[in-house]
Amino acid sequence: MRFLFVLLFALLLPEMAMAADFDTLGLTGTQRGIYTVLIFIIAYAFVMTEEFTHLSKSKPVILAAGIIWAHAAILSKEAGVSAEDMHKAFEYNLKEYAELMLFLLTAMTYINSMSERDVFEALRSWLVRKQFGYRQLFVITGITTFFLSSVADNLTAALLIGAVVSAVGKGNEKFISMGFVNLVIAANAGGAFCPFGDITTLMVWQAEYAEFFDFFKLFIPSAVNYGIPAAVMYFALPDEQPAATNEVAVQLKPGALVICFMFLATIASAVSFKQVLHLPPFMGMMVGLSVLMLYGYYLKINVTVEGDKRFTIFDHVRNAEWDTLLFFFGVVFAVGGLGYIGYLELLSGAMYDTLGPTTANILVGLISAVVDNIPVMFAVLNMNLDMDLYQWLLVTLTAGVGGSLLSVGSAAGVALMGQSDHKYTFFSHLKWTPAIAAGYAGSIFAHYLING
């Protein structure tokens, strides 16, 4: 919500000049321009109340994007801007979305394929059968989520390991509640140090503000961000053993390990396309998707297991998180339309010119605790800021981990609230916010010591 207040405050500031590779309209003070801001605020209010309304978050932002661009087109015509110049701004947003959408679609398809081959179910079964104590499980599930979220997105990692926490903590609400807080922090922290771990990190990489291996400089700050609150919560857990279960070992389906290896090879392909061939990384991901399709055809034709449904790759494409992908479409075009009218330049002046990049980048993380970090980061990327690598890594870190401060600050937190059957709530998370804030401050300080 602070993001929206800052955006409104920016209406009072003087106009600025340029954004991206095209001229902005500079019509933020017009009635129609202010109307587009109100449309965005209303749409985002629906996004923030998704947990209660059960209205998919993609629906209001796509509508808002269409309305905002319709008004931007009218404003550009009234200002005497040619249709060709207006299309440059529009196509810039289309290019940004297309690259990210194809990249994410491939990653989601791989995750769905591994899930269908019981890779994650086998991991869950193994952890349950090992009969670890609550404190051991707290550490194991947290560290697993931290590293898993660096290659699978933080939402997927939190949900997969959340199933383990629910299974082994059955009957112990305190463990489930604290375990879910632990997973949210671990998922968000783990996603910050690798371009594949979070959409915002991926956006910074594809915008070429940092090279692939630059992000690993955030590993220690990310670990500090997770480690501080995890250490505090660890000693508050009961040092007890969960009740024994009759969990049966889950066997991997044919091709499971091959698909895991192919996913790692696809990530390497994406990095190679970017670093060696200087092509967008989504092209390397699409090459990996084509290999998965061919291997899926082999499984479908040649591998049959009694009672096992044949592997069909397009089922896994269909089961991608389309609400997330379409939400991202709405965000890119809604924020892009506001930027074309001129609001991102005003916001840049209000935050970065007035406060300085360090304070502004720390504020971005605090904003991400309330507002989803995707529109916040997309806005930052489109402010055309002149920052060095240290500052771009700082905003990548803060935008990634800032959502841990509140349960509603990240997709992982919102999803786990829905999965926990009221055992993990806004207020049960809020209880640990001081410890999480200490981790947030510690990660920024670690980044300064290591990379400053």
Side-chain angles (χ1 to χ4, degrees), residues 33-307:
I34 295 172
Y35 175 71
T36 60
V37 177
L38 295 176
I39 289 295
F40 181 76
I41 292 173
I42 293 170
Y44 215 84
F46 280 104
V47 173
M48 295 177 69
T49 58
E50 179 187 14
E51 180 188 358
F52 309 104
T53 63
H54 304 292
L55 177 69
S56 299
K57 60 183 177 290
S58 60
K59 297 174 182 177
V61 290
I62 291 175
L63 178 60
I67 295 173
I68 289 169
W69 267 103
H71 284 280
I74 294 171
L75 284 171
S76 68
K77 185 176 181 180
E78 292 176 349
V81 177
S82 68
E84 288 184 2
D85 289 340
M86 188 265 289
H87 285 167
K88 287 181 181 179
F90 188 86
E91 290 167 1
Y92 170 80
N93 292 307
L94 181 61
K95 173 181 174 292
E96 291 290 305
Y97 174 70
E99 290 186 4
L100 286 163
M101 183 264 190
L102 292 171
F103 189 106
L104 292 170
L105 181 62
T106 299
M108 290 175 179
T109 302
Y110 262 101
I111 294 297
N112 288 341
S113 298
M114 289 188 286
S115 181
E116 188 270 340
R117 295 285 98 180
D118 286 337
V119 172
F120 303 114
E121 185 64 15
L123 172 63
R124 184 200 64 79
S125 172
W126 181 81
L127 285 171
V128 171
R129 288 183 291 109
K130 280 296 181 179
Q131 289 292 291
F132 294 110
Y134 284 124
R135 287 186 174 181
Q136 290 175 302
L137 284 166
F138 183 86
V139 173
I140 293 170
T141 55
I143 293 176
T144 301
T145 303
F146 180 83
F147 286 102
L148 181 61
S149 66
S150 67
V151 288
D153 69 273
N154 51 12
L155 173 61
T156 300
L159 286 175
L160 290 171
I161 309 301
V164 177
V165 172
S166 295
V168 298
K170 189 176 296 182
N172 191 325
E173 293 191 8
K174 182 177 182 180
F175 172 74
I176 293 177
S177 174
M178 294 177 64
F180 277 17
V181 175
N182 184 46
L183 296 187
V184 171
I185 302 167
N188 291 332
F193 72 86
C194 178
F196 297 89
D198 190 43
I199 294 177
T200 55
T201 316
L202 176 62
M203 290 162 69
V204 176
W205 180 42
Q206 294 209 143
E208 299 184 347
Y209 287 113
E211 297 296 332
F212 180 83
F213 295 102
D214 287 334
F215 291 97
F216 292 96
K217 296 177 181 179
L218 293 176
F219 175 77
I220 293 178
S222 297
V224 169
N225 179 269
Y226 167 63
I228 291 176
V232 173
M233 289 188 289
Y234 175 84
F235 293 102
L237 277 169
D239 190 10
E240 300 171 358
Q241 194 80 13
T245 65
N246 296 319
E247 181 77 21
V248 179
V250 174
Q251 300 298 320
L252 295 174
K253 292 181 180 179
L257 295 179
V258 174
I259 292 176
C260 291
F261 173 78
M262 288 167 55
F263 183 46
L264 294 177
T266 297
I267 293 174
S269 175
V271 175
S272 299
F273 267 67
K274 180 75 166 59
Q275 302 295 121
V276 179
L277 301 177
H278 305 292
L279 290 170
F282 81 88
M283 198 65 218
M285 293 295 284
M286 293 302 288
V287 170
L289 179 61
S290 69
V291 175
L292 177 61
M293 288 178 166
L294 292 171
Y295 184 67
Y297 177 76
Y298 165 79
L299 289 177
K300 183 178 180 179
I301 298 300
N302 296 296
V303 179
T304 57
V305 178
E306 186 176 351

Side-chain angles (χ1 to χ4, degrees), residues 287-340:
V287 170
L289 179 61
S290 69
V291 175
L292 177 61
M293 288 178 166
L294 292 171
Y295 184 67
Y297 177 76
Y298 165 79
L299 289 177
K300 183 178 180 179
I301 298 300
N302 296 296
V303 179
T304 57
V305 178
E306 186 176 351
D308 183 24
K309 182 181 177 182
R310 288 181 180 271
F311 186 94
T312 306
I313 185 63
F314 289 107
D315 284 347
H316 306 311
V317 175
R318 183 186 63 213
N319 293 330
E321 297 170 29
W322 283 100
D323 182 45
T324 298
L325 293 173
L326 292 174
F327 168 70
F328 191 55
F329 169 86
V331 165
V332 167
F333 279 89
V335 174
L338 293 174
Y340 181 53

Side-chain angles (χ1 to χ4, degrees), residues 342-382:
Y343 287 109
L344 295 185
E345 291 172 330
L346 296 183
L347 189 58
S348 172
M351 289 179 61
Y352 286 87
D353 294 346
T354 303
L355 302 175
T358 299
T359 303
N361 287 333
I362 293 173
L363 180 61
V364 165
L366 300 179
I367 294 170
S368 296
V370 182
V371 180
D372 190 279
N373 58 4
I374 294 175
V376 175
M377 180 57 84
F378 188 73
V380 170
L381 290 172
N382 282 274

